[in-house]
Amino acid sequence: HTLILGWNERVINILDEIINANESEKKASIVILSDEDKEHMDDLITKRIQDTKTSRVITTNGNISNAKELRRVNAKDAKSIIIMASCSERACDEAKVNSDVQTIKTIMAVISTQQGKNGTPIIVEIFTEEKREIADHFTDNQIIAVDSWDIMGRLLMQTSLTSGLEVVYGEILSFHGAEIYFYKEEWGDMGFYDLIHHFKDGIPLGIYNNTEGIILRPPAQTKLKPEDSIIILAEDDSTIHYSTKRLYDFSGVKLKRLRTRLEKRKSRILILGWHFVAGFYVREANEYMVEGSVFDIMFNQPTKELEEIIDSLKIKYPGFEINLIDSNPLKYEHLESVKPETYDNIIILSQSLEE
């Protein structure tokens, strides 16, 4: 079973993805342990997810950092564990710190129930860099700490620079359509770049083994070793079938190789509204834009807190021109006054600082 520990606003989206991932299985289970009221969890799941397909969703109330409760939901034998933050990114710093402390306690409780077992993927939401470093010190290398704002900032920047990239990310990162899998076989003397001829469904992306980790786009001469798993993009894990015989011959196909790379350039960005992901967006822009790039942030009656955030960004990124415009992006005449058509990109965010 997949075990979800904790509850927040993202649980429904996570459930939806896991249900789609489990669709190829005849029977699957998702267990949620949280201090949230069981009736509330069941009611919300029923309202938001009409069809759980082949998955059975089980909710139960309890303390997620209590080893006894974790044994009750059989954390030891879970195929994967997701530890949710106890608050959202909109919460105050104190709430985030408390959430991270609770998460670290839960990681320790989970490890204690594993009884030496290693290999269960444990995905945790952590807000602060300090607590992510603590999570990295645990000996279990299956613990992955994620910062959703950091990921969102990166995706927002990259998709704003390259039109259509959001479709690619949506296809790869969701469980609708094709997904990424690890797959292992008896490879014999197979070269990595010959694999494409041996799968009816699947595009090999890279190699994984315990010694070298993940290698994407390995060198052309790479031969697969017995311990290697391949990383493959396919419609479903049930459709991945390796054929020892060559299925296709592309020798008559001429390929034109394009050696182009997105160059750094000076840009003008208009940000309408604000929430904290925009800070990560500006940080990520430092990797893609040259000095002199402009960020105009349009916000109606900015608070002192927002003014301080913008001032800190100006100090941190002196090469950028960052301007806070006190104006209402929901009014046409205000928008018209900044001439939005003159900007390279427009980012629309929440007006409320808390959101």
Side-chain angles (χ1 to χ4, degrees):
H1 62 293
T2 301
L3 178 60
I4 298 175
L5 301 175
W7 181 273
N8 63 32
E9 59 195 11
R10 285 181 296 280
V11 168
I12 298 299
N13 300 102
I14 291 171
L15 274 177
D16 186 54
E17 293 295 335
I18 296 173
I19 287 167
N20 281 291
N22 289 341
E23 196 172 2
S24 60
E25 301 179 23
K26 291 183 179 179
K27 183 186 287 188
S29 296
I30 305 167
V31 178
I32 302 172
L33 172 66
S34 167
D35 59 5
E36 196 76 23
D37 181 70
K38 175 176 170 56
E39 289 187 9
H40 171 73
M41 291 189 285
D42 290 339
D43 185 53
L44 189 60
I45 292 169
T46 302
K47 286 180 179 177
R48 299 280 298 276
I49 303 177
Q50 282 76 37
D51 183 10
T52 59
K53 301 177 182 178
T54 61
S55 296
R56 180 187 177 199
V57 181
I58 304 160
T59 64
T60 183
N61 177 272
N63 184 348
I64 64 174
S65 58
N66 185 298
K68 183 177 179 181
E69 294 285 352
L70 292 175
R71 285 192 289 270
R72 180 167 65 87
V73 293
N74 196 18
K76 180 176 179 291
D77 294 321
K79 66 179 180 181
S80 60
I81 299 173
I82 301 170
I83 303 176
M84 308 296 298
S86 62
C87 65
S88 73
E89 292 89 347
R90 301 189 301 269
C92 64
D93 289 342
E94 183 180 358
K96 290 179 180 179
V97 169
N98 291 336
S99 172
D100 287 350
V101 170
Q102 174 73 22
T103 297
I104 296 298
K105 289 180 179 178
T106 303
I107 293 173
M108 295 174 67
V110 168
I111 292 174
S112 73
T113 64
Q114 298 292 299
Q115 298 176 354
K117 178 185 174 183
N118 195 359
T120 303
I122 303 171
I123 315 300
V124 299
E125 281 188 305
I126 295 182
F127 295 111
T128 60
E129 184 64 31
E130 176 191 6
K131 296 301 186 293
R132 275 194 294 276
E133 289 176 1
I134 292 174
D136 289 339
H137 284 303
F138 288 108
T139 55
D140 191 340
N141 59 12
Q142 296 299 109
I143 299 173
I144 301 172
V146 298
D147 179 353
S148 55
W149 274 146
D150 179 65
I151 295 170
M152 282 295 296
R154 291 170 185 265
L155 293 178
L156 194 62
M157 166 53 64
Q158 293 174 18
T159 54
S160 69
L161 290 175
T162 307
S163 178
L165 192 58
E166 71 280 358
V167 178
V168 177
Y169 281 132
E171 177 69 17
I172 293 176
L173 298 179
S174 77
F175 285 100
H176 298 276
E179 299 127 37
I180 295 176
Y181 299 95
F182 289 90
Y183 181 83
K184 192 170 184 178
E185 266 289 355
E186 298 291 334
W187 303 119
D189 193 39
M190 180 65 60
F192 176 80
Y193 285 91
D194 293 323
L195 284 173
I196 192 67
H197 304 281
H198 295 263
F199 289 96
K200 285 187 176 180
D201 175 38
I203 301 173
L205 304 175
I207 298 171
Y208 172 78
N209 59 56
N210 290 333
T211 304
E212 301 169 284
I214 291 176
I215 306 169
L216 297 178
R217 295 180 63 197
Q221 68 277 12
T222 300
K223 293 283 187 180
L224 292 168
K225 299 186 285 291
E227 65 270 22
D228 286 342
S229 296
I230 64 168
I231 304 163
I232 186 168
L233 181 69
E235 186 68 25
D236 191 78
D237 54 353
S238 63
T239 66
I240 304 172
H241 299 292
Y242 171 71
S243 171
T244 55
K245 295 181 179 179
R246 194 181 181 95
L247 301 174
Y248 308 104
D249 183 8
F250 301 134
S251 58
V253 179
K254 293 183 178 180
L255 300 177
K256 183 179 180 181
R257 301 193 69 177
L258 299 176
R259 298 185 180 275
T260 58
R261 186 180 180 88
L262 188 65
E263 295 183 0
K264 286 188 175 184
R265 58 189 177 89
K266 187 183 293 186
S267 299
R268 296 181 71 243
I269 311 295
L270 177 62
I271 299 177
L272 304 178
W274 180 270
H275 60 57
F276 294 106
V277 72
F280 291 97
Y281 178 90
V282 175
R283 185 203 67 188
E284 189 70 10
N286 194 47
E287 299 293 326
Y288 294 92
M289 297 179 186
V290 299
E291 288 190 5
S293 293
V294 177
F295 294 85
D296 286 339
I297 301 155
M298 194 173 180
F299 193 94
N300 189 37
Q301 297 179 347
T303 63
K304 185 167 182 58
E305 180 186 358
L306 178 54
E307 290 175 350
E308 290 174 352
I309 291 171
I310 301 304
D311 287 341
S312 68
L313 289 174
K314 289 179 180 180
I315 295 170
K316 194 170 185 179
Y317 305 104
F320 292 155
E321 181 183 334
I322 303 175
N323 306 305
L324 179 58
I325 303 170
D326 184 359
S327 190
N328 191 347
L330 300 179
K331 290 187 176 182
Y332 180 84
E333 60 273 19
H334 290 200
L335 275 176
E336 192 176 35
S337 68
V338 299
K339 299 181 179 180
E341 70 278 4
T342 63
Y343 289 87
D344 297 295
N345 285 296
I346 300 174
I347 310 299
I348 302 174
L349 301 173
S350 304
Q351 169 66 56
S352 172
L353 181 61
E354 286 72 27
E355 295 179 359

